[in-house]
C-alpha cells in the first residue's frame, strides 16, 4: 500500500468517527464503537472562516467540515463559471454543522447547503430541517446510495462518499491472500502458530460492539426495526436468525483469550496485529493510521463470507450533501448538488482526498487501479446497510452492547439475552418515544 496516500485519509476517518459518535451518544450511554471520538462540548465555539450570509441574496452559502475547504475551493470556480451562481464557503466542525443547520437555519442565517451523515437524514427530514431533492436520473448513483437518502418515498440530499468496515490482514502472515470465508478463519485459528495460553489470536473483531456485531446479526436475518428500518414497533434482534448469529459470535469468544471480553479488547488485538502476532482483523478505517504506521505488510479485502453463505452486512458510513429547508435558494442549491455529484467533481474528490466516491463511473475507474484499501471498501459496500433514521436508533448502541455482552460472556443464554434486550428496548421506546 502507498502509505502517504492512505495517511491522507485519516482526517476523513476521524471526522467520520466523530459524526458516528454524535449519533451513537445521543442518549446512548457508553455503547460506542471503537475509534469513536467524543462530540464537541455544547458550548464549544465553532471553528469558522467567516459567517453565513443571509439566504435569499443570490449567493449560496455552503458549510463544510474544516478539512473540506481546499476541495470546495477547487470546485467553486468551475461551478460559478458554469452556472453564474456564486458560492460562499464557510467552515465548521462536524458537530457544529448539525447545530447550525437547525438553529441558524430557523433564524434565517444558516447555510443553504451542507453535509450530514446518512443516519441523520431520516431525523432531519422528519423535522423538516432539510429539503427534498430530486436526484439526477443519469445512472450516477447506485440503488443502495439512493436508498440511503430516501425517506417516505422522497429523496433528501445526495450521497457524496461512503465507507464501511473491511478486513485488514498481514500479507507476510498470509502470503496466499486474505481468508475468503469464515471457515478459512476458523482453520487459521486452529494453527498452533497463533496459540497463546491455549487460546487463538489469529483473528479478531469486536463482535460485542454494536457497530460490528450488527453486521453479523443482519447477515443471518436479524434486524433492528421492521419495514426497512421504519417501524420501531417491530424489533427483530431476537428472531431465530439473530440467535444463530450470536451463537456463532459466541463460538469465537470461546476461542479467544479471556481478555477479549473486555470493552477495550480491540486495543489489545490491534497491538497483536501490528506486532505480527495476529493475521487478520475486521475493523473500520479509523484503525488504518496505526496499522500503516506500524510498518506491517498491510493488506485489505472484503470481509469473508459467513458460514450460512451470506455476506457480512456492516453499517454504511459516509457523507450526504443536503439542502436546508430554511434556504431561499433551493433551486440554485439543487444545481450545486447536481454539480458536486457529477463525474468530474467526484473524480476530484477522490484525487484530492482519496475519499470513496459514489459516482458509479468513478468507482469503476478506481477498481482498475491499485488503491487496495479503497477497492476493499468498494467491494464490501454492496453488502453494507444503512442504519435506521428513526430517533429510537439512539438507544441501539447501549442496549445491543449489553445484550451481546450477556450472550457471549455466558451470563445469560443467547436466547434469554436477546429476549431481555428486545424487551428492554421496547420498554424504553414506550417511555421515551410514545
Amino acid at each position: 500500500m502507498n502509505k502517504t496516500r492512505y495517511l491522507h485519509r485519516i482526517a476523513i476517518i476521524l471526522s467520520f468517527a466523530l459524526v458516528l459518535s454524535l449519533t451513537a451518544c445521543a442518549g446512548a450511554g457508553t455503547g460506542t464503537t471503537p475509534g469513536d471520538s467524543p462530540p464537541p462540548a455544547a458550548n464549544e465555539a465553532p471553528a469558522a472562516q467567516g459567517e453565513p450570509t443571509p439566504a435569499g441574496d443570490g449567493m449560496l452559502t455552503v458549510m463544510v467540515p474544516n478539512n473540506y475547504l481546499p476541495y470546495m475551493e477547487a470546485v467553486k470556480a468551475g461551478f460559478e463559471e458554469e452556472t453564474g451562481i456564486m458560492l460562499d464557503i464557510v467552515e465548521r466542525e462536524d458537530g457544529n454543522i448539525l447545530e447550525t443547520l437547525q438553529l441558524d437555519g430557523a433564524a434565517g442565517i444558516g447555510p443553504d447547503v451542507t453535509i450530514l451523515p446518512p443516519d441523520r437524514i431520516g431525523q432531519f427530514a422528519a423535522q423538516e430541517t432539510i429539503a427534498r431533492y430530486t436526484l439526477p436520473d443519469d445512472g450516477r448513483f447506485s440503488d443502495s446510495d439512493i436508498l440511503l437518502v430516501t425517506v417516505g418515498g422522497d429523496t433528501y440530499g445526495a450521497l457524496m462518499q461512503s465507507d464501511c468496515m473491511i478486513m485488514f490482514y498481514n500479507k507476510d502472515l498470509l502470503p496466499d491472500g486474505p481468508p475468503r470465508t469464515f471457515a478459512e478463519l476458523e482453520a487459521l485459528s486452529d494453527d498452533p502458530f497463533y496459540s497463546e495460553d491455549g487460546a487463538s489470536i489469529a483473528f479478531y473483531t469486536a463482535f460485542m460492539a454494536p457497530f460490528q456485531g450488527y453486521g453479523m446479526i443482519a447477515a443471518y436475518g436479524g434486524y433492528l426495526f421492521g419495514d426497512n428500518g421504519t417501524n420501531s414497533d417491530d424489533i427483530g434482534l431476537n428472531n431465530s436468525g439473530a440467535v444463530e448469529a450470536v451463537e456463532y459470535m459466541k463460538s469465537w469468544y470461546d476461542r479467544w483469550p479471556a481478555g477479549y471480553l473486555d470493552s477495550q479488547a480491540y486495543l489489545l488485538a490491534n497491538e497483536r496485529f501490528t506486532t505480527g502476532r495476529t493475521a487478520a482483523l475486521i475493523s473500520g478505517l479509523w484503525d488504518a493510521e496505526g496499522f500503516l504506521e506500524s510498518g506491517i505488510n498491510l493488506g485489505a479485502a472484503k470481509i469473508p463470507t459467513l458460514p450460512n453463505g451470506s455476506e457480512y452486512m456492516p453499517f454504511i458510513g459516509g457523507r450526504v450533501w443536503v439542502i436546508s429547508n430554511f434556504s431561499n435558494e433551493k433551486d440554485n442549491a439543487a444545481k450545486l448538488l447536481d454539480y458536486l455529484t457529477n463525474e468530474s467533481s467526484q473524480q476530484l474528490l477522490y484525487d484530492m482526498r482519496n475519499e470513496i466516491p459514489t459516482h458509479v463511473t468513478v468507482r469503476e475507474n478506481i477498481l482498475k487501479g491499485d488503491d487496495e484499501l479503497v477497492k476493499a471498501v468498494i467491494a464490501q459496500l454492496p453488502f453494507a446497510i444503512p442504519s435506521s433514521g428513526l430517533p429510537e436508533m439512539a438507544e441501539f448502541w447501549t442496549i445491543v452492547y449489553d445484550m451481546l455482552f450477556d450472550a457471549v460472556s455466558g451470563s445469560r443464554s443467547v436466547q434469554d439475552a436477546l429476549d431481555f434486550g428486545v424487551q428492554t428496548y421496547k420498554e424504553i421506546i414506550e417511555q421515551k418515544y410514545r
Side-chain angles (χ1 to χ4, degrees):
M1 285 190 177
N2 184 318
K3 178 177 177 180
T4 301
R5 185 170 180 81
Y6 286 115
L7 288 178
H8 183 64
R9 294 179 56 83
I10 301 308
I12 307 165
I13 295 163
L14 293 179
S15 59
F16 164 64
L18 168 62
V19 171
L20 177 63
S21 69
L22 285 169
T23 304
C25 294
T30 59
T32 56
T33 303
D36 284 351
S37 302
N43 61 353
E44 184 176 353
Q49 285 191 350
E51 293 299 325
T53 55
D57 62 357
M59 176 180 287
L60 285 177
T61 298
V62 184
M63 185 171 289
V64 296
N66 309 86
N67 54 354
Y68 274 78
L69 183 63
Y71 169 71
M72 284 306 303
E73 291 293 346
V75 170
K76 177 179 177 180
F79 175 75
E80 290 181 343
E81 181 179 354
E82 181 176 308
T83 66
I85 302 167
M86 300 294 104
L87 299 182
D88 176 27
I89 313 299
V90 180
E91 291 182 87
R92 286 289 189 273
E93 294 181 359
D94 276 303
N96 288 321
I97 285 178
L98 301 178
E99 182 178 353
T100 299
L101 182 60
Q102 294 174 302
L103 301 181
D104 287 1
I109 57 172
D112 299 290
V113 172
T114 191
I115 297 172
L116 291 179
D119 57 5
R120 288 298 185 111
I121 297 301
Q123 174 191 350
F124 277 62
Q127 295 173 348
E128 299 185 347
T129 302
I130 55 177
R132 294 177 180 85
Y133 164 69
T134 301
L135 294 165
D137 187 20
D138 57 5
R140 69 180 65 177
F141 295 105
S142 68
D143 290 343
S144 60
D145 291 341
I146 295 172
L147 181 62
L148 269 175
V149 297
T150 301
V151 180
D154 294 315
T155 49
Y156 294 80
L159 193 66
M160 169 180 54
Q161 59 89 217
S162 51
D163 279 315
C164 66
M165 297 181 67
I166 57 173
M167 168 164 280
F168 296 96
Y169 69 100
N170 187 324
K171 290 183 176 181
D172 291 336
L173 296 176
L174 300 172
D176 295 329
R180 302 297 181 185
T181 67
F182 266 78
E184 292 179 28
L185 285 175
E186 292 174 23
L188 188 69
S189 72
D190 293 332
D191 188 332
F193 176 81
Y194 300 104
S195 179
E196 185 177 282
D197 297 328
S200 175
I201 58 170
F203 157 74
Y204 176 74
T205 190
F207 280 131
M208 284 194 306
F211 196 71
Q212 278 93 322
Y214 188 73
M216 178 79 76
I217 291 172
Y220 274 80
Y223 57 91
L224 174 54
F225 300 139
D227 301 329
N228 293 318
T230 63
N231 181 7
S232 61
D233 291 326
D234 177 15
I235 299 176
L237 293 173
N238 62 336
N239 66 14
S240 60
V243 171
E244 186 178 0
V246 178
E247 291 280 9
Y248 186 61
M249 289 183 210
K250 186 177 185 303
S251 74
W252 279 101
Y253 282 92
D254 293 340
R255 293 174 181 264
W256 289 333
Y260 279 12
L261 279 168
D262 189 272
S263 62
Q264 301 297 306
Y266 71 96
L267 296 173
L268 180 60
N270 285 6
E271 187 272 334
R272 287 166 167 153
F273 182 64
T274 56
T275 54
R277 291 182 289 162
T278 289
L281 290 170
I282 294 173
S283 189
L285 295 177
W286 53 78
D287 280 329
E289 179 179 23
F291 296 163
L292 288 163
E293 290 185 341
S294 72
I296 64 170
N297 191 1
L298 184 66
K302 182 184 75 65
I303 297 170
T305 303
L306 293 164
N308 68 343
S310 297
E311 299 295 339
Y312 189 89
M313 299 171 68
F315 281 130
I316 297 175
R319 293 182 183 275
V320 180
W321 288 113
V322 295
I323 300 170
S324 171
N325 208 28
F326 302 104
S327 172
N328 294 324
E329 301 286 348
K330 291 186 180 68
D331 289 342
N332 286 342
K335 294 178 182 177
L336 177 59
L337 265 62
D338 291 349
Y339 189 87
L340 289 168
T341 57
N342 68 24
E343 184 175 348
S344 62
S345 295
Q346 285 269 283
Q347 183 65 52
L348 184 64
L349 180 73
Y350 175 71
D351 291 341
M352 290 187 67
R353 297 186 52 77
N354 204 33
E355 294 200 18
I356 301 166
T358 55
H359 196 287
V360 170
T361 302
V362 180
R363 281 191 179 177
E364 290 173 350
N365 291 336
I366 292 172
L367 290 174
K368 298 173 184 177
D370 59 357
D371 196 332
E372 187 174 345
L373 179 58
V374 173
K375 289 171 73 171
V377 176
I378 291 175
Q380 188 67 50
L381 277 170
F383 310 107
I385 55 176
S387 59
S388 173
L390 295 178
E392 293 93 323
M393 178 74 190
E395 313 300 329
F396 169 84
W397 311 100
T398 296
I399 290 173
V400 173
Y401 177 84
D402 291 344
M403 181 176 77
L404 293 179
F405 180 84
D406 285 349
V408 302
S409 68
S411 62
R412 296 176 185 266
S413 71
V414 170
Q415 185 71 69
D416 286 347
L418 302 193
D419 288 345
F420 182 78
V422 168
Q423 183 59 37
T424 301
Y425 211 153
K426 290 180 177 179
E427 290 173 358
I428 291 176
I429 288 173
E430 185 64 30
Q431 293 167 4
K432 295 179 64 174
Y433 299 94
R434 296 291 185 265

